[in-house]
């Protein structure tokens, strides 16, 4: 077993050892096609590695002799088992002789970077797209050992265990090998999909990672199969590309946006380059010619992934992957969008083109396909299985609603309402941002299938308490729906950091702005409804704090309320400024909070939204005092820190009575960088990780510490970009508040960040 299998040496009898992807790639390489070289770390390495984890406490001690029978309907047990399995794999050492063998083999390519691609061999394999992902790494011993374990551990993720069990696949049947290939900088990358209905080519600049992660809309070509005629071509939206961040003179480097831990860098393309096709005409013709040749090898249904590298100042086309129907990988990939909620689901499409005409209800268990979602659609989403929108980004309303409700969702799926027909059977992947049209035989399977339920991440506190260290940073949850209270109560949270009043009220308002209720003389009815809603949260989480954010509607967000003064405004007459203009609704909210206190729940606090100036805050504080809320000793009046003026005015706000701040990263990012969060083309580049935004967050945390008040962060940033949690903890943030689906991974990220700080402090002491 000590040998590695090179692509140009693999035989038919080796197929189960090397997996289907590597087998088909080797097949065409050995017939002279331009395939990127590679070797396979066979499934035997994994079997032997697992055998080394043979201690009495290990859950994987007898995995090689067991199908690991789990009740996948028991989400607590499933998540607990998955966390322990993956932790044991990541923490275990890889035999040094294995790593040395891999490094020696890889050094033949003289490449600085490698890619590890999972390749499976499973009898009667069905669709496993999205379960196992390729990982880039440096070509050195430490990186290779870590990456090897990361790929292996994906086999035991909760969603993977769920899939194997539901598909009736015994773990002994899952032969996971790894194809290792060198990575070089690319001129362009993409895919070629061949089938009897016509061909489709997708292309983007640089390495293919931008396309795989849904960060660009590629150039597309529709090809008539028999004649090779280009029927249509569409210029994509390619604002960025990826390259290896080395061997480029400083004065010629492009504008670098991000550099990840593997040394891959995303860079901004020049505007002139964005307006050009990534494929030259010569390369396009070469790619089509290659497709025609491969038909004799692979049949009339296959997809290849390709890259064009520059060698001796000339472009060279290479094949990096081959997918065929035999591999169980669907070649009916319909649209690439942006995945915003973890989970994959198969269901019937329900297409809505006109969002102005809101239906009374939607069919149960459908995938809603719609241009965009406004908050007043929330009541209709409770029984939807999945969401697809043609517009929006990671922090759009559709994304926020989907994440809170735990619904798999893909946004910015361009032309989805045109390409998808009502009643079609779809598979949407909220992790990868992909939408698939199911084949006829798969479409007839009937009921909605959740291939991995998003609420898998809602692990109970017992799981965290048993297997993770306690954390000092408060972990709070963003919430609005009473229907989620029971689930969220089981999470390891210290309270509700953001009770979104708008989303909480929408199901009660029947599409009307609350001001219309007051004009109709229904003040008492609305007050009773609001008080009862808040009491449900206060009762459920007592004595843990609840931070109720008062209403922050842009007036056009409720279709039944059309204010001409702000209908076309991105911001609208929102936040505390609107309270000064007309305080009727704010007064009603304060009365409702007072009612909750009178009912005996003193864990309720007020969070003021979108505060632009100190006089606005002072106006609200006086209202709060008049209603008697400050007479409750536990009560605290906080404000959202999302308008950039707070960076200059925070000491004045503290003097005016602010007891704490909560950083709203969504609006802070929009206003600092001049971007609209509903425009994904901009927010992909100008997001919360931008240096200006991170500097602002750091400054606010430090200013809060100087002022002696707590500072929480409650925007989407920690959930979308968990890597920034290290910085937040290092800077001293008091609390982090995230959506329910992000609680478990945020807990783990906080724990790791705190442990690293403690370790660094201990090492400093020993010096």
């Amino acid at each position: 077993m000590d040998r590695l299998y090179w692509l140009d040496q693999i035989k038919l009898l080796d197929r189960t050892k090397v997996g289907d992807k590597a087998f088909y790639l080797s097949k065409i390489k050995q017939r002279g096609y331009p395939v990127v070289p590679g070797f396979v770390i066979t499934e035997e390495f994994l079997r032997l590695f697992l055998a080394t984890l043979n201690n009495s406490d290990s859950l994987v001690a007898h995995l090689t002799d067991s199908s690991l029978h789990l009740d996948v309907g028991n989400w607590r047990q499933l998540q607990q088992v998955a966390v322990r399995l993956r932790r044991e794999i990541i923490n275990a050492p890889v035999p040094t002789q294995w790593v040395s063998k891999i490094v020696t083999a890889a050094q033949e390519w003289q490449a600085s970077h490698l890619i590890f691609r999972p390749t499976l061999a499973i009898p009667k394999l069905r669709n496993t797209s999205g379960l196992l992902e390729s990982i880039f790494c440096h070509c050195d011993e430490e990186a290779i050992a870590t990456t090897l374990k990361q790929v292996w551990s994906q086999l035991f993720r909760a969603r993977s265990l769920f899939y194997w069990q539901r598909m009736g696949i015994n773990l002994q049947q899952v032969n996971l090998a790894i194809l290792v290939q060198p990575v070089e900088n690319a001129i362009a990358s993409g895919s070629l999909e061949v089938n009897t209905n016509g061909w489709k080519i997708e292309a983007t600049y640089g390495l293919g990672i931008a396309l795989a992660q849904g960060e660009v809309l590629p150039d597309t070509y529709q090809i008539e199969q028999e004649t090779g005629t280009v029927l249509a071509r569409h210029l994509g939206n390619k604002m960025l590309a990826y390259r290896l961040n080395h061997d480029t003179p400083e004065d010629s480097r492009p504008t670098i946006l991000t550099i990840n831990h593997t040394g891959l860098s995303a860079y901004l393309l020049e505007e002139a380059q964005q307006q050009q096709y990534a494929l030259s005409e010569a390369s396009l013709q070469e790619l089509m010619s290659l497709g025609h040749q491969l038909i004799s090898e692979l049949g009339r249904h296959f997809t290849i992934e390709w890259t064009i590298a520059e060698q001796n100042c000339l472009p060279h086309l290479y094949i990096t992957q081959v997918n065929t129907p035999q591999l169980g990988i669907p070649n009916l990939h319909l649209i690439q969008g942006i995945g915003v909620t973890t989970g994959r689901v198969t269901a019937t499409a329900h297409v809505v083109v006109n969002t102005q005409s809101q239906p009374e209800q939607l069919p149960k268990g459908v995938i809603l396909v719609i241009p965009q979602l406004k908050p007043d659609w929330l009541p209709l989403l409770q029984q939807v299985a999945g969401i697809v929108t043609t517009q929006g980004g990671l922090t759009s309303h559709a994304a926020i609603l989907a994440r809170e409700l735990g619904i798999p969702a893909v946004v910015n799926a361009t032309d989805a309402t045109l390409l998808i027909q009502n009643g079609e059977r779809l598979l949407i992947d909220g992790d990868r941002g992909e939408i698939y049209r199911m084949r006829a035989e798969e479409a007839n399977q009937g009921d909605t299938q959740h291939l991995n339920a998003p609420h898998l991440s809602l692990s109970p506190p017992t799981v965290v308490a048993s297997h993770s260290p306690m954390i000092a940073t408060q972990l709070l949850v963003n919430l609005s729906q009473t229907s989620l209270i029971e689930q969220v109560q089981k999470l390891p949270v210290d309270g509700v950091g953001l009770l979104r009043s708008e989303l909480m009220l929408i199901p009660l308002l029947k599409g009307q702005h609350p001001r219309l209720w007051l004009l109709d003389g229904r003040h008492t009815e609305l007050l009773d409804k609001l008080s009862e809603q808040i009491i449900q949260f206060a009762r459920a989480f007592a004595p843990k704090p609840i931070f109720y954010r008062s209403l922050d509607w842009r007036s056009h967000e409720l279709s039944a309320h059309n204010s001409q003064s702000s209908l076309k405004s991105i911001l609208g007459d929102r936040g505390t400024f609107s309270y000064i203009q007309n305080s009727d609704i704010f007064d009603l909210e304060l009365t409702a909070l007072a009612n909750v206190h009178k009912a005996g729940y003193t864990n309720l606090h007020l969070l003021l939204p979108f505060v632009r100036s100190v006089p606005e805050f002072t106006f609200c504080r006086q209202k709060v005092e008049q209603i008697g809320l400050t007479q409750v000793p536990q009560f605290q009046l906080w404000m959202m820190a999302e308008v950039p003026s707070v960076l200059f005015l925070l000491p004045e706000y503290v003097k005016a009575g602010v007891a704490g701040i909560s950083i709203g990263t969504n609006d802070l990012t929009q206003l600092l960088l001049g971007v609209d969060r509903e425009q994904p083309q901009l927010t992909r580049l100008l997001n919360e990780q931008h240096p200006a935004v991170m500097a602002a967050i750091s400054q606010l945390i430090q200013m809060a510490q100087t002022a002696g008040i707590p500072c929480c962060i409650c925007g989407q940033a920690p959930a979308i970009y968990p890597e920034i949690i290290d910085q937040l903890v290092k800077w001293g943030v008091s609390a982090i508040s995230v959506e329910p689906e992000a609680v478990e991974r945020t807990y783990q990220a906080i724990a790791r960040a705190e442990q690293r700080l403690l370790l660094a402090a201990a090492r400093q002491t020993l010096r």
Side-chain angles (χ1 to χ4, degrees):
M1 85 119 267
D2 58 349
R3 59 174 290 205
L4 302 172
Y5 284 67
W6 292 85
L7 284 179
D8 52 9
Q9 298 172 351
I10 292 171
K11 299 178 176 59
L12 179 60
L13 293 177
D14 301 324
R15 180 171 177 176
T16 57
K17 293 182 179 180
V18 303
D20 288 339
K21 281 189 178 182
F23 174 76
Y24 280 99
L25 203 57
S26 72
K27 176 181 175 182
I28 63 172
K29 180 173 177 58
Q30 292 174 36
R31 298 193 182 182
Y33 289 91
V35 172
V36 173
F39 59 79
V40 178
I41 304 168
T42 66
E43 52 83 26
E44 293 172 297
F45 282 84
L46 174 58
R47 300 294 172 184
L48 285 178
F49 176 77
L50 292 177
T52 67
L53 306 183
N54 192 13
N55 62 74
S56 58
D57 296 326
S58 173
L59 284 178
V60 295
H62 305 291
L63 192 58
T64 53
D65 302 312
S66 167
S67 61
L68 193 64
H69 293 291
L70 288 173
D71 176 11
V72 294
N74 185 335
W75 305 119
R76 298 185 192 180
Q77 182 197 47
L78 181 61
Q79 189 73 7
Q80 182 179 14
V81 169
V83 168
R84 288 190 60 186
L85 286 172
R86 299 190 70 201
R87 181 180 292 121
E88 292 210 31
I89 290 171
I90 295 298
N91 292 338
V94 178
T96 55
Q97 63 270 28
W98 295 4
V99 179
S100 297
K101 185 182 294 291
I102 296 168
V103 171
T104 301
Q107 284 175 342
E108 291 188 18
W109 299 316
Q110 298 182 337
S112 63
H113 289 73
L114 307 173
I115 186 168
F116 282 46
R117 302 184 190 274
T119 171
L120 288 168
I122 305 175
K124 299 179 181 178
L125 180 68
R126 301 176 71 173
N127 174 29
T128 61
S129 176
L131 280 180
L132 308 175
E133 299 152 10
S134 300
I135 301 177
F136 290 89
C137 78
H138 290 285
C139 186
D140 62 61
E141 291 190 359
E142 182 180 357
I144 285 173
T146 299
T147 305
L148 193 59
K149 293 185 289 185
Q150 287 175 335
V151 176
W152 282 339
S153 71
Q154 292 185 77
L155 193 64
F156 307 103
R157 288 195 289 201
R159 64 186 185 188
S160 299
L161 296 175
F162 180 91
Y163 181 85
W164 311 134
Q165 185 97 339
R166 283 296 171 91
M167 295 298 106
I169 298 172
N170 191 304
L171 273 173
Q172 292 173 277
Q173 299 175 289
V174 182
N175 296 330
L176 173 58
I178 302 173
L179 171 62
V180 181
Q181 294 176 292
V183 179
E184 297 293 347
N185 278 325
I187 299 171
S189 302
S191 64
L192 164 63
E193 178 186 315
V194 172
N195 61 66
T196 53
N197 296 323
W199 296 12
K200 180 181 179 181
I201 293 174
E202 292 187 343
T204 191
Y205 287 113
L207 297 170
I209 186 173
L211 185 55
Q213 295 184 167
E215 296 177 319
V216 296
L217 294 176
D219 302 332
T220 58
Y221 304 81
Q222 299 294 335
I223 314 294
E224 204 283 318
Q225 178 173 302
E226 298 301 327
T227 65
T229 304
V230 179
L231 301 175
R233 64 180 74 199
H234 299 282
L235 185 67
N237 191 330
K238 312 179 298 296
M239 297 182 71
L240 61 82
Y242 279 84
R243 62 171 290 118
L244 306 179
N245 193 46
H246 69 84
D247 298 336
T248 305
E250 290 290 339
D251 58 357
S252 63
R253 286 187 179 180
T255 303
I256 301 296
L257 299 170
T258 60
I259 302 177
N260 67 21
H261 66 280
T262 66
L264 294 180
S265 62
Y267 63 94
L268 188 65
L269 293 169
E270 297 291 340
E271 187 172 351
Q273 195 175 12
Q274 294 179 34
Q275 300 306 314
Q276 298 173 359
Y277 285 91
L279 269 178
S280 67
E281 284 301 314
S283 294
L284 175 61
Q285 293 301 320
E286 184 182 6
L287 186 56
M288 289 194 294
S289 176
L290 179 62
H292 279 289
Q293 295 173 49
L294 285 171
I295 288 176
S296 62
E297 309 287 350
L298 301 172
R300 293 184 173 272
H301 292 271
F302 64 86
T303 300
I304 64 168
E305 294 182 16
W306 53 265
T307 188
I308 298 175
E310 187 174 285
Q311 292 184 354
N312 300 321
C313 299
L314 294 174
H316 285 262
L317 174 65
Y318 292 98
I319 300 169
T320 57
Q321 286 201 79
V322 175
N323 299 328
T324 73
Q326 293 97 316
L327 300 186
I329 298 173
N331 59 4
L332 295 176
H333 179 200
L334 187 59
I335 306 174
Q336 179 72 55
I338 301 173
V340 295
T341 311
T342 297
R344 299 169 71 238
V345 66
T346 300
T348 301
H350 183 82
V351 182
V352 174
V353 178
N354 182 9
T355 59
Q356 299 304 315
S357 178
Q358 190 178 110
E360 291 187 7
Q361 62 181 17
L362 294 172
K364 184 178 180 180
V366 298
I367 293 174
L368 176 63
V369 183
I370 192 169
Q372 63 177 341
L373 277 178
K374 291 183 179 180
D376 56 346
W377 278 71
L378 176 62
L380 300 174
L381 303 181
Q382 302 293 334
Q383 298 188 69
V384 165
I387 297 170
V388 174
T389 68
T390 62
Q391 303 171 33
L394 285 169
T395 58
S396 62
H397 286 306
I400 292 172
L401 293 172
R403 274 195 289 268
E404 176 163 341
L405 297 174
I407 300 173
V410 176
V411 301
N412 194 41
T414 306
D415 295 332
T417 53
L418 300 176
L419 297 175
I420 297 172
Q421 296 181 6
N422 204 49
E424 273 193 292
R425 190 95 176 145
L426 301 179
L427 182 151
I428 67 169
D429 188 329
D431 296 289
R432 299 165 65 93
E434 295 175 347
I435 304 165
Y436 295 87
R437 179 181 289 125
M438 304 301 290
R439 296 186 181 90
E441 62 272 20
E442 296 170 320
N444 292 330
Q445 292 178 0
D447 296 338
T448 299
Q449 299 177 30
H450 289 268
L451 298 184
N452 63 298
H455 58 280
L456 287 178
S457 60
L458 300 190
S459 49
T462 53
V463 173
V464 173
S466 299
H467 306 291
S468 295
M470 297 297 292
I471 59 176
T473 307
Q474 276 196 317
L475 178 56
L476 305 170
V477 66
N478 302 336
L479 206 55
S480 69
Q481 302 304 294
T482 55
S483 60
L484 298 177
I485 286 177
E486 185 176 353
Q487 281 183 310
V488 175
Q489 279 179 303
K490 302 171 185 176
L491 297 177
V493 295
D494 297 304
V496 178
L498 177 61
L499 181 54
R500 292 190 178 101
S501 55
E502 309 85 26
L503 301 185
M504 183 185 71
L505 268 178
I506 281 175
L508 305 175
L509 294 175
K510 310 298 183 185
Q512 291 185 321
H513 194 282
R515 188 155 290 122
L516 296 181
W517 285 59
L518 303 188
L519 293 175
D520 290 342
R522 303 170 69 186
H523 179 282
T524 302
E525 182 184 354
L526 181 56
L527 176 61
D528 290 345
K529 287 180 179 290
L530 179 57
S531 301
E532 176 53 34
Q533 287 281 297
I534 302 173
I535 284 175
Q536 289 188 52
F537 290 98
R539 181 192 300 125
F541 290 94
K544 297 177 180 179
I546 306 287
F547 287 89
Y548 172 90
R549 187 182 67 187
S550 50
L551 287 168
D552 185 27
W553 258 313
R554 289 174 287 186
S555 51
H556 62 279
E557 289 178 350
L558 278 182
S559 56
H561 180 74
N562 295 322
S563 170
Q564 295 300 319
S565 64
S566 58
L567 183 60
K568 297 180 181 179
S569 169
I570 292 176
L571 297 178
D573 52 355
R574 57 179 296 196
T576 51
F577 179 73
S578 68
Y579 304 167
I580 296 176
Q581 290 183 306
N582 188 329
S583 67
D584 289 352
I585 303 300
F586 185 55
D587 290 339
L588 182 140
E589 288 183 276
L590 296 181
T591 304
L593 298 186
N595 288 346
V596 176
H597 283 169
K598 290 175 184 176
Y601 301 104
T602 58
N603 58 327
L604 182 65
H605 310 291
L606 177 59
L607 185 57
L608 296 173
F610 214 80
V611 183
R612 295 175 173 92
S613 67
V614 175
E616 286 179 23
F617 174 82
T618 301
F619 171 84
C620 295
R621 191 205 69 217
Q622 291 171 349
K623 287 277 186 181
V624 166
E625 292 172 347
Q626 290 168 8
I627 204 70
L629 291 176
T630 53
Q631 295 176 13
V632 176
Q634 297 90 334
F635 175 78
Q636 295 181 15
L637 177 60
W638 284 37
M639 62 173 276
M640 294 292 297
E642 51 196 351
V643 178
S645 59
V646 71
L647 291 163
F648 306 96
L649 297 175
L650 185 57
E652 300 304 315
Y653 282 121
V654 174
K655 290 179 183 177
V658 166
I661 61 171
S662 190
I663 302 174
T665 57
N666 300 347
D667 279 318
L668 183 64
T669 301
Q670 286 194 109
L671 298 176
L672 273 174
L673 303 180
V675 299
D676 182 350
R677 68 189 190 189
E678 299 288 339
Q679 299 298 319
Q681 291 82 1
L682 286 174
T683 55
R684 280 199 188 100
L685 306 177
L686 304 173
N687 55 45
E688 287 85 346
Q689 292 182 299
H690 191 283
V693 180
M694 294 300 291
I697 293 171
S698 173
Q699 180 179 328
L700 285 169
I701 294 172
Q702 292 169 21
M703 291 175 72
Q705 290 174 333
T706 301
I709 63 171
C711 175
C712 175
I713 186 166
C714 70
Q716 301 295 302
I720 298 173
Y721 311 107
E723 58 269 27
I724 74 172
I725 290 175
D726 261 11
Q727 289 296 323
L728 296 175
V729 172
K730 184 177 180 180
W731 292 333
V733 74
S734 308
I736 298 175
S737 191
V738 295
E739 259 59 48
E741 60 91 22
V743 164
E744 193 269 340
R745 65 177 182 270
T746 304
Y747 189 106
Q748 301 295 340
I750 292 172
R752 287 192 297 269
E754 292 182 349
Q755 286 175 326
R756 277 192 280 268
L757 282 177
L758 290 172
L759 181 60
R763 287 172 173 167
Q764 187 67 32
T765 302
L766 293 173
R767 289 178 181 175

